[in-house]
Amino acid sequence: MRPTGIPGVFRENNKLFTENLESCRGIQVYNEKLVSINDKELRSWNPYRSKLAAAILKGLKNINITSKSEILYLGAATGTTVSHISDIVKDGAVYSVENSPVALKQLIKLSRKRHNIIPIMADASHPEKYSHIVPHVDFIYQDISQRNQADIFIKNVDRYLKKAGYGIMMVKARSIDVSLKPKDAYDMVINKLIEHKVKIIKTIDLAPYEKDHVSIMISL
Amino acid sequence: MLYLITKWFGTFLHDGEKIKKQIVFPKDEEEIVKRLIKIDRGEILPEEWDICRDVTDDVIVNERRLQKIGMFFPSNLFFKKLDVDPNSFGFSIDLLNRVSCLLAEKKTRERLMAEDIQIIQMVNALDDLIQTCNLFSERLNHWSLVSTSEEKISSFRNIFDSVKKEINRLEKQIEEDMKRIAPNISRVVGPLIGARLIALSGSLEHLATLPSSTIQILGAEKALFKFKKDGGKPPKHGIIFQHPLIYRSPKAKRGKIARKLAAKISIAAKADFFTKKDISDLLIADLNRQIGVIKNQ
Ligand SMILES: C[S@@+](CC[C@H](N)C(=O)[O-])C[C@H]1O[C@@H](n2cnc3c(N)ncnc32)[C@H](O)[C@@H]1O
């Protein structure tokens, strides 16, 4: 087991782990393995369930998140990835936006155990609706598989991302346009980001963990 | 010029350099949630009125709901830079965590109920209309037998036609909504019977937790009650009798088929409510196979 350069994230061969929150010892979120090493408890991070884990295994070295970061997460679903980010930003916060009430029910349960998750029931395409809760953040994460996800991402970056902030967008080619080749769908998204003065840092294909998906890392 | 900004912990007037005036909310999650719900509904908080009272400067706001208090400039650049730190007012992330859990819980409950209530109301309205339509058609028949002039009947006939149109419209709407909210149920028994099952059980959530033996006889409560009181035969099927798989089958096989269908509806309801995965292809294939076996017995 060795550190990855990302605080709170460890690696053994092709397996990733995050250090469990002190207050959540012994609690699994999605049946992941718990491992105790020295005085730490580590949770295995499944790249087939979480695209961020896939991106890290595929070579994303610096995600520019520290233990104090404040993150805006769009498309939190039931909180699989959110829980690992919550491990990483143990002294920060994950503002987790999700608009499906059924998914949110489970996310709320998770948030009751994890003090740094702020669950928000809202549509990410109306960022003004959560401005009373969300502050300016260090990082914006988006995984919503919607055709207009680039527009939604830009609106949120514009409103909430700090000047020196970063972000990641997970893009599924099929949700952008089924009739396009994946490469062309990604280019469409990337061009839209560049048009809005967002800088592209790195694009990573998530195969074999996800088919026809990329992660796009950006900064302002 | 003053900028009015409201956050989950209070409302503030900012002059561009520093906060000039502030009213912080009570450090209590229920109190804060009450205010956030008001904001969600587009209302103005008493604190927001109060903070602007006796202020002589122009007040600028970036929320439409605050238009009555100040000038609405949604894209004013200053708001983009402006942020107020909750910690400096003694509000912790732990409190926000509790606030947001409570608020999200209320909102999810409302949303889930709202969707079910819509469907249930539409199904009830549909049944009212169908009943009305039957009454009208009977009346029209009788009337035209004895009537000497078509003219007198025609305006009544117009109402009858619009009732029929409304039935069509409602059915389409229910189908559309059901396919979105409950795609699995819609495939397995059809959106209309599915909607009636939701109406009979009270909500999709409740339907998803019912045993399939109960789903099988939903809508046959009267018959079940009679059976419990007077004995005789228990009902074999409720509303699902309206499905052609059952009413087109020989009487002797209806009970068995109803049981298989109800079992699939139960799985479909669980998938629709809990996992939201579309597993209807699997369910239909499995059901068809089971029914093939029963028919060949
Ligand atoms: C692929 S799932 C996210 C999985 C999650 N990020 C994880 O790794 O654990 C996409 C989620 O985005 C949500 N979603 C889609 N459109 C949205 C919108 N406009 N606003 C908020 N959430 C949205 C969906 O309800 C769904 O739960």
Side-chain angles (χ1 to χ4, degrees), chain B residues 168-197:
Chain B
N168 274 331
R169 199 191 62 80
L170 258 181
E171 278 181 350
K172 281 218 184 76
Q173 184 72 58
I174 293 173
E175 273 169 31
E176 217 172 85
D177 286 11
M178 277 296 290
K179 279 182 189 152
R180 185 167 44 80
I181 296 170
N184 291 294
I185 298 179
S186 299
R187 272 287 303 283
V188 172
V189 272
L192 281 174
I193 300 178
R196 292 206 162 87
L197 286 168

PDB file of all heavy atoms in Angstrom, chain B residues 168-197:
ATOM      1  N   ASN B 168     -59.767  10.505 -23.998  1.00  0.00           N
ATOM      2  CA  ASN B 168     -58.577  10.183 -24.804  1.00  0.00           C
ATOM      3  C   ASN B 168     -57.348  10.945 -24.331  1.00  0.00           C
ATOM      4  O   ASN B 168     -56.258  10.399 -24.201  1.00  0.00           O
ATOM      5  CB  ASN B 168     -58.822  10.544 -26.262  1.00  0.00           C
ATOM      6  CG  ASN B 168     -59.500   9.406 -26.983  1.00  0.00           C
ATOM      7  OD1 ASN B 168     -59.307   8.251 -26.604  1.00  0.00           O
ATOM      8  ND2 ASN B 168     -60.304   9.727 -27.976  1.00  0.00           N
ATOM      9  N   ARG B 169     -57.564  12.238 -24.059  1.00  0.00           N
ATOM     10  CA  ARG B 169     -56.443  13.083 -23.661  1.00  0.00           C
ATOM     11  C   ARG B 169     -55.855  12.604 -22.331  1.00  0.00           C
ATOM     12  O   ARG B 169     -54.659  12.455 -22.175  1.00  0.00           O
ATOM     13  CB  ARG B 169     -56.927  14.532 -23.529  1.00  0.00           C
ATOM     14  CG  ARG B 169     -55.813  15.582 -23.577  1.00  0.00           C
ATOM     15  CD  ARG B 169     -56.338  16.945 -23.164  1.00  0.00           C
ATOM     16  NE  ARG B 169     -56.835  16.948 -21.813  1.00  0.00           N
ATOM     17  CZ  ARG B 169     -56.058  17.032 -20.720  1.00  0.00           C
ATOM     18  NH1 ARG B 169     -54.750  17.127 -20.854  1.00  0.00           N
ATOM     19  NH2 ARG B 169     -56.594  17.021 -19.524  1.00  0.00           N
ATOM     20  N   LEU B 170     -56.744  12.322 -21.379  1.00  0.00           N
ATOM     21  CA  LEU B 170     -56.291  11.864 -20.058  1.00  0.00           C
ATOM     22  C   LEU B 170     -55.537  10.540 -20.153  1.00  0.00           C
ATOM     23  O   LEU B 170     -54.497  10.357 -19.530  1.00  0.00           O
ATOM     24  CB  LEU B 170     -57.490  11.691 -19.121  1.00  0.00           C
ATOM     25  CG  LEU B 170     -57.729  12.788 -18.100  1.00  0.00           C
ATOM     26  CD1 LEU B 170     -58.929  12.444 -17.231  1.00  0.00           C
ATOM     27  CD2 LEU B 170     -56.491  12.999 -17.220  1.00  0.00           C
ATOM     28  N   GLU B 171     -56.104   9.631 -20.965  1.00  0.00           N
ATOM     29  CA  GLU B 171     -55.432   8.333 -21.113  1.00  0.00           C
ATOM     30  C   GLU B 171     -54.014   8.503 -21.637  1.00  0.00           C
ATOM     31  O   GLU B 171     -53.076   7.891 -21.143  1.00  0.00           O
ATOM     32  CB  GLU B 171     -56.233   7.420 -22.047  1.00  0.00           C
ATOM     33  CG  GLU B 171     -57.376   6.723 -21.331  1.00  0.00           C
ATOM     34  CD  GLU B 171     -58.162   5.787 -22.245  1.00  0.00           C
ATOM     35  OE1 GLU B 171     -57.929   5.820 -23.480  1.00  0.00           O
ATOM     36  OE2 GLU B 171     -58.998   5.045 -21.716  1.00  0.00           O
ATOM     37  N   LYS B 172     -53.876   9.387 -22.634  1.00  0.00           N
ATOM     38  CA  LYS B 172     -52.538   9.623 -23.200  1.00  0.00           C
ATOM     39  C   LYS B 172     -51.600  10.203 -22.151  1.00  0.00           C
ATOM     40  O   LYS B 172     -50.442   9.807 -22.035  1.00  0.00           O
ATOM     41  CB  LYS B 172     -52.637  10.587 -24.380  1.00  0.00           C
ATOM     42  CG  LYS B 172     -53.116   9.924 -25.635  1.00  0.00           C
ATOM     43  CD  LYS B 172     -52.386  10.478 -26.857  1.00  0.00           C
ATOM     44  CE  LYS B 172     -52.971   9.865 -28.109  1.00  0.00           C
ATOM     45  NZ  LYS B 172     -54.285  10.470 -28.457  1.00  0.00           N
ATOM     46  N   GLN B 173     -52.127  11.170 -21.377  1.00  0.00           N
ATOM     47  CA  GLN B 173     -51.312  11.815 -20.351  1.00  0.00           C
ATOM     48  C   GLN B 173     -50.872  10.812 -19.292  1.00  0.00           C
ATOM     49  O   GLN B 173     -49.713  10.789 -18.887  1.00  0.00           O
ATOM     50  CB  GLN B 173     -52.128  12.940 -19.700  1.00  0.00           C
ATOM     51  CG  GLN B 173     -51.358  13.745 -18.670  1.00  0.00           C
ATOM     52  CD  GLN B 173     -50.318  14.629 -19.325  1.00  0.00           C
ATOM     53  OE1 GLN B 173     -50.637  15.469 -20.163  1.00  0.00           O
ATOM     54  NE2 GLN B 173     -49.058  14.430 -18.964  1.00  0.00           N
ATOM     55  N   ILE B 174     -51.795   9.969 -18.860  1.00  0.00           N
ATOM     56  CA  ILE B 174     -51.458   8.961 -17.852  1.00  0.00           C
ATOM     57  C   ILE B 174     -50.388   8.020 -18.401  1.00  0.00           C
ATOM     58  O   ILE B 174     -49.414   7.701 -17.728  1.00  0.00           O
ATOM     59  CB  ILE B 174     -52.710   8.161 -17.419  1.00  0.00           C
ATOM     60  CG1 ILE B 174     -53.686   9.073 -16.667  1.00  0.00           C
ATOM     61  CG2 ILE B 174     -52.328   6.971 -16.540  1.00  0.00           C
ATOM     62  CD1 ILE B 174     -55.022   8.427 -16.345  1.00  0.00           C
ATOM     63  N   GLU B 175     -50.584   7.610 -19.657  1.00  0.00           N
ATOM     64  CA  GLU B 175     -49.595   6.711 -20.267  1.00  0.00           C
ATOM     65  C   GLU B 175     -48.207   7.339 -20.260  1.00  0.00           C
ATOM     66  O   GLU B 175     -47.223   6.713 -19.889  1.00  0.00           O
ATOM     67  CB  GLU B 175     -50.004   6.374 -21.703  1.00  0.00           C
ATOM     68  CG  GLU B 175     -50.942   5.188 -21.753  1.00  0.00           C
ATOM     69  CD  GLU B 175     -51.571   4.993 -23.118  1.00  0.00           C
ATOM     70  OE1 GLU B 175     -50.916   5.328 -24.130  1.00  0.00           O
ATOM     71  OE2 GLU B 175     -52.718   4.512 -23.153  1.00  0.00           O
ATOM     72  N   GLU B 176     -48.162   8.609 -20.650  1.00  0.00           N
ATOM     73  CA  GLU B 176     -46.881   9.303 -20.731  1.00  0.00           C
ATOM     74  C   GLU B 176     -46.219   9.383 -19.340  1.00  0.00           C
ATOM     75  O   GLU B 176     -45.054   9.049 -19.187  1.00  0.00           O
ATOM     76  CB  GLU B 176     -47.149  10.717 -21.235  1.00  0.00           C
ATOM     77  CG  GLU B 176     -46.105  11.269 -22.159  1.00  0.00           C
ATOM     78  CD  GLU B 176     -46.610  12.591 -22.722  1.00  0.00           C
ATOM     79  OE1 GLU B 176     -46.423  13.607 -22.037  1.00  0.00           O
ATOM     80  OE2 GLU B 176     -47.219  12.591 -23.812  1.00  0.00           O
ATOM     81  N   ASP B 177     -46.996   9.829 -18.358  1.00  0.00           N
ATOM     82  CA  ASP B 177     -46.450   9.979 -17.006  1.00  0.00           C
ATOM     83  C   ASP B 177     -46.028   8.639 -16.428  1.00  0.00           C
ATOM     84  O   ASP B 177     -44.987   8.528 -15.779  1.00  0.00           O
ATOM     85  CB  ASP B 177     -47.487  10.626 -16.073  1.00  0.00           C
ATOM     86  CG  ASP B 177     -47.638  12.107 -16.361  1.00  0.00           C
ATOM     87  OD1 ASP B 177     -47.107  12.547 -17.391  1.00  0.00           O
ATOM     88  OD2 ASP B 177     -48.264  12.810 -15.555  1.00  0.00           O
ATOM     89  N   MET B 178     -46.845   7.632 -16.661  1.00  0.00           N
ATOM     90  CA  MET B 178     -46.523   6.308 -16.116  1.00  0.00           C
ATOM     91  C   MET B 178     -45.226   5.774 -16.706  1.00  0.00           C
ATOM     92  O   MET B 178     -44.422   5.174 -16.013  1.00  0.00           O
ATOM     93  CB  MET B 178     -47.666   5.322 -16.382  1.00  0.00           C
ATOM     94  CG  MET B 178     -48.793   5.386 -15.385  1.00  0.00           C
ATOM     95  SD  MET B 178     -48.291   4.917 -13.725  1.00  0.00           S
ATOM     96  CE  MET B 178     -48.017   3.154 -13.927  1.00  0.00           C
ATOM     97  N   LYS B 179     -45.033   6.007 -18.015  1.00  0.00           N
ATOM     98  CA  LYS B 179     -43.819   5.486 -18.641  1.00  0.00           C
ATOM     99  C   LYS B 179     -42.581   6.145 -18.045  1.00  0.00           C
ATOM    100  O   LYS B 179     -41.513   5.549 -18.000  1.00  0.00           O
ATOM    101  CB  LYS B 179     -43.862   5.682 -20.153  1.00  0.00           C
ATOM    102  CG  LYS B 179     -44.688   4.591 -20.810  1.00  0.00           C
ATOM    103  CD  LYS B 179     -44.710   4.722 -22.318  1.00  0.00           C
ATOM    104  CE  LYS B 179     -45.723   3.750 -22.897  1.00  0.00           C
ATOM    105  NZ  LYS B 179     -46.286   4.228 -24.166  1.00  0.00           N
ATOM    106  N   ARG B 180     -42.743   7.385 -17.570  1.00  0.00           N
ATOM    107  CA  ARG B 180     -41.609   8.079 -16.969  1.00  0.00           C
ATOM    108  C   ARG B 180     -41.394   7.620 -15.520  1.00  0.00           C
ATOM    109  O   ARG B 180     -40.292   7.269 -15.120  1.00  0.00           O
ATOM    110  CB  ARG B 180     -41.876   9.596 -17.021  1.00  0.00           C
ATOM    111  CG  ARG B 180     -40.726  10.446 -16.533  1.00  0.00           C
ATOM    112  CD  ARG B 180     -40.949  11.913 -16.904  1.00  0.00           C
ATOM    113  NE  ARG B 180     -42.313  12.351 -16.648  1.00  0.00           N
ATOM    114  CZ  ARG B 180     -42.765  12.686 -15.444  1.00  0.00           C
ATOM    115  NH1 ARG B 180     -41.966  12.660 -14.411  1.00  0.00           N
ATOM    116  NH2 ARG B 180     -44.024  13.056 -15.279  1.00  0.00           N
ATOM    117  N   ILE B 181     -42.486   7.598 -14.749  1.00  0.00           N
ATOM    118  CA  ILE B 181     -42.352   7.313 -13.321  1.00  0.00           C
ATOM    119  C   ILE B 181     -42.219   5.816 -13.046  1.00  0.00           C
ATOM    120  O   ILE B 181     -41.507   5.411 -12.140  1.00  0.00           O
ATOM    121  CB  ILE B 181     -43.585   7.867 -12.562  1.00  0.00           C
ATOM    122  CG1 ILE B 181     -43.623   9.381 -12.686  1.00  0.00           C
ATOM    123  CG2 ILE B 181     -43.563   7.461 -11.096  1.00  0.00           C
ATOM    124  CD1 ILE B 181     -44.924   9.960 -12.181  1.00  0.00           C
ATOM    125  N   ALA B 182     -42.923   5.005 -13.844  1.00  0.00           N
ATOM    126  CA  ALA B 182     -42.925   3.562 -13.581  1.00  0.00           C
ATOM    127  C   ALA B 182     -42.811   2.778 -14.884  1.00  0.00           C
ATOM    128  O   ALA B 182     -43.757   2.110 -15.307  1.00  0.00           O
ATOM    129  CB  ALA B 182     -44.205   3.191 -12.820  1.00  0.00           C
ATOM    130  N   PRO B 183     -41.638   2.837 -15.525  1.00  0.00           N
ATOM    131  CA  PRO B 183     -41.496   2.188 -16.839  1.00  0.00           C
ATOM    132  C   PRO B 183     -41.691   0.665 -16.782  1.00  0.00           C
ATOM    133  O   PRO B 183     -42.240   0.084 -17.708  1.00  0.00           O
ATOM    134  CB  PRO B 183     -40.060   2.534 -17.257  1.00  0.00           C
ATOM    135  CG  PRO B 183     -39.365   2.930 -16.000  1.00  0.00           C
ATOM    136  CD  PRO B 183     -40.411   3.522 -15.105  1.00  0.00           C
ATOM    137  N   ASN B 184     -41.256   0.048 -15.697  1.00  0.00           N
ATOM    138  CA  ASN B 184     -41.374  -1.413 -15.617  1.00  0.00           C
ATOM    139  C   ASN B 184     -42.826  -1.850 -15.469  1.00  0.00           C
ATOM    140  O   ASN B 184     -43.294  -2.741 -16.187  1.00  0.00           O
ATOM    141  CB  ASN B 184     -40.537  -1.951 -14.453  1.00  0.00           C
ATOM    142  CG  ASN B 184     -39.047  -1.811 -14.724  1.00  0.00           C
ATOM    143  OD1 ASN B 184     -38.506  -2.448 -15.615  1.00  0.00           O
ATOM    144  ND2 ASN B 184     -38.390  -0.937 -13.974  1.00  0.00           N
ATOM    145  N   ILE B 185     -43.546  -1.214 -14.543  1.00  0.00           N
ATOM    146  CA  ILE B 185     -44.968  -1.545 -14.372  1.00  0.00           C
ATOM    147  C   ILE B 185     -45.707  -1.314 -15.680  1.00  0.00           C
ATOM    148  O   ILE B 185     -46.535  -2.123 -16.099  1.00  0.00           O
ATOM    149  CB  ILE B 185     -45.601  -0.673 -13.263  1.00  0.00           C
ATOM    150  CG1 ILE B 185     -44.934  -0.938 -11.914  1.00  0.00           C
ATOM    151  CG2 ILE B 185     -47.100  -0.933 -13.158  1.00  0.00           C
ATOM    152  CD1 ILE B 185     -45.478  -0.106 -10.778  1.00  0.00           C
ATOM    153  N   SER B 186     -45.390  -0.203 -16.338  1.00  0.00           N
ATOM    154  CA  SER B 186     -46.085   0.130 -17.578  1.00  0.00           C
ATOM    155  C   SER B 186     -45.907  -0.951 -18.633  1.00  0.00           C
ATOM    156  O   SER B 186     -46.843  -1.272 -19.349  1.00  0.00           O
ATOM    157  CB  SER B 186     -45.579   1.461 -18.133  1.00  0.00           C
ATOM    158  OG  SER B 186     -45.831   2.485 -17.215  1.00  0.00           O
ATOM    159  N   ARG B 187     -44.701  -1.497 -18.727  1.00  0.00           N
ATOM    160  CA  ARG B 187     -44.476  -2.562 -19.719  1.00  0.00           C
ATOM    161  C   ARG B 187     -45.191  -3.844 -19.306  1.00  0.00           C
ATOM    162  O   ARG B 187     -45.768  -4.550 -20.122  1.00  0.00           O
ATOM    163  CB  ARG B 187     -42.978  -2.881 -19.846  1.00  0.00           C
ATOM    164  CG  ARG B 187     -42.208  -2.055 -20.841  1.00  0.00           C
ATOM    165  CD  ARG B 187     -42.454  -2.337 -22.314  1.00  0.00           C
ATOM    166  NE  ARG B 187     -42.245  -3.689 -22.829  1.00  0.00           N
ATOM    167  CZ  ARG B 187     -41.069  -4.235 -23.082  1.00  0.00           C
ATOM    168  NH1 ARG B 187     -39.955  -3.590 -22.822  1.00  0.00           N
ATOM    169  NH2 ARG B 187     -40.987  -5.439 -23.596  1.00  0.00           N
ATOM    170  N   VAL B 188     -45.155  -4.177 -18.025  1.00  0.00           N
ATOM    171  CA  VAL B 188     -45.645  -5.484 -17.580  1.00  0.00           C
ATOM    172  C   VAL B 188     -47.177  -5.573 -17.610  1.00  0.00           C
ATOM    173  O   VAL B 188     -47.717  -6.548 -18.107  1.00  0.00           O
ATOM    174  CB  VAL B 188     -45.103  -5.836 -16.179  1.00  0.00           C
ATOM    175  CG1 VAL B 188     -45.754  -7.102 -15.638  1.00  0.00           C
ATOM    176  CG2 VAL B 188     -43.599  -6.043 -16.248  1.00  0.00           C
ATOM    177  N   VAL B 189     -47.893  -4.566 -17.100  1.00  0.00           N
ATOM    178  CA  VAL B 189     -49.370  -4.652 -17.142  1.00  0.00           C
ATOM    179  C   VAL B 189     -50.023  -3.575 -17.971  1.00  0.00           C
ATOM    180  O   VAL B 189     -51.253  -3.537 -18.055  1.00  0.00           O
ATOM    181  CB  VAL B 189     -50.060  -4.508 -15.765  1.00  0.00           C
ATOM    182  CG1 VAL B 189     -50.190  -5.814 -15.093  1.00  0.00           C
ATOM    183  CG2 VAL B 189     -49.473  -3.431 -14.929  1.00  0.00           C
ATOM    184  N   GLY B 190     -49.230  -2.680 -18.529  1.00  0.00           N
ATOM    185  CA  GLY B 190     -49.822  -1.559 -19.255  1.00  0.00           C
ATOM    186  C   GLY B 190     -49.948  -0.365 -18.317  1.00  0.00           C
ATOM    187  O   GLY B 190     -50.198  -0.544 -17.127  1.00  0.00           O
ATOM    188  N   PRO B 191     -49.756   0.838 -18.881  1.00  0.00           N
ATOM    189  CA  PRO B 191     -49.741   2.042 -18.039  1.00  0.00           C
ATOM    190  C   PRO B 191     -51.063   2.310 -17.315  1.00  0.00           C
ATOM    191  O   PRO B 191     -51.050   2.778 -16.182  1.00  0.00           O
ATOM    192  CB  PRO B 191     -49.418   3.170 -19.016  1.00  0.00           C
ATOM    193  CG  PRO B 191     -49.558   2.599 -20.374  1.00  0.00           C
ATOM    194  CD  PRO B 191     -49.413   1.123 -20.273  1.00  0.00           C
ATOM    195  N   LEU B 192     -52.194   1.982 -17.941  1.00  0.00           N
ATOM    196  CA  LEU B 192     -53.469   2.333 -17.306  1.00  0.00           C
ATOM    197  C   LEU B 192     -53.782   1.440 -16.113  1.00  0.00           C
ATOM    198  O   LEU B 192     -54.125   1.923 -15.034  1.00  0.00           O
ATOM    199  CB  LEU B 192     -54.601   2.274 -18.322  1.00  0.00           C
ATOM    200  CG  LEU B 192     -54.659   3.512 -19.226  1.00  0.00           C
ATOM    201  CD1 LEU B 192     -55.706   3.335 -20.306  1.00  0.00           C
ATOM    202  CD2 LEU B 192     -54.950   4.761 -18.403  1.00  0.00           C
ATOM    203  N   ILE B 193     -53.628   0.127 -16.299  1.00  0.00           N
ATOM    204  CA  ILE B 193     -53.852  -0.767 -15.159  1.00  0.00           C
ATOM    205  C   ILE B 193     -52.809  -0.462 -14.084  1.00  0.00           C
ATOM    206  O   ILE B 193     -53.105  -0.442 -12.891  1.00  0.00           O
ATOM    207  CB  ILE B 193     -53.780  -2.247 -15.589  1.00  0.00           C
ATOM    208  CG1 ILE B 193     -54.840  -2.538 -16.655  1.00  0.00           C
ATOM    209  CG2 ILE B 193     -53.962  -3.175 -14.392  1.00  0.00           C
ATOM    210  CD1 ILE B 193     -54.823  -3.955 -17.178  1.00  0.00           C
ATOM    211  N   GLY B 194     -51.580  -0.187 -14.525  1.00  0.00           N
ATOM    212  CA  GLY B 194     -50.522   0.167 -13.581  1.00  0.00           C
ATOM    213  C   GLY B 194     -50.903   1.377 -12.748  1.00  0.00           C
ATOM    214  O   GLY B 194     -50.734   1.395 -11.529  1.00  0.00           O
ATOM    215  N   ALA B 195     -51.448   2.394 -13.419  1.00  0.00           N
ATOM    216  CA  ALA B 195     -51.847   3.611 -12.707  1.00  0.00           C
ATOM    217  C   ALA B 195     -52.957   3.291 -11.708  1.00  0.00           C
ATOM    218  O   ALA B 195     -52.980   3.807 -10.590  1.00  0.00           O
ATOM    219  CB  ALA B 195     -52.312   4.668 -13.702  1.00  0.00           C
ATOM    220  N   ARG B 196     -53.879   2.423 -12.106  1.00  0.00           N
ATOM    221  CA  ARG B 196     -54.969   2.058 -11.183  1.00  0.00           C
ATOM    222  C   ARG B 196     -54.417   1.309  -9.971  1.00  0.00           C
ATOM    223  O   ARG B 196     -54.900   1.476  -8.852  1.00  0.00           O
ATOM    224  CB  ARG B 196     -56.000   1.194 -11.902  1.00  0.00           C
ATOM    225  CG  ARG B 196     -56.759   1.969 -12.953  1.00  0.00           C
ATOM    226  CD  ARG B 196     -58.130   1.380 -13.209  1.00  0.00           C
ATOM    227  NE  ARG B 196     -58.966   2.347 -13.881  1.00  0.00           N
ATOM    228  CZ  ARG B 196     -58.999   2.493 -15.206  1.00  0.00           C
ATOM    229  NH1 ARG B 196     -58.272   1.699 -15.976  1.00  0.00           N
ATOM    230  NH2 ARG B 196     -59.758   3.415 -15.744  1.00  0.00           N
ATOM    231  N   LEU B 197     -53.390   0.486 -10.208  1.00  0.00           N
ATOM    232  CA  LEU B 197     -52.778  -0.233  -9.074  1.00  0.00           C
ATOM    233  C   LEU B 197     -52.143   0.749  -8.094  1.00  0.00           C
ATOM    234  O   LEU B 197     -52.245   0.593  -6.878  1.00  0.00           O
ATOM    235  CB  LEU B 197     -51.731  -1.233  -9.578  1.00  0.00           C
ATOM    236  CG  LEU B 197     -52.298  -2.490 -10.243  1.00  0.00           C
ATOM    237  CD1 LEU B 197     -51.196  -3.266 -10.968  1.00  0.00           C
ATOM    238  CD2 LEU B 197     -52.967  -3.395  -9.209  1.00  0.00           C
TER     239      LEU B 197
END
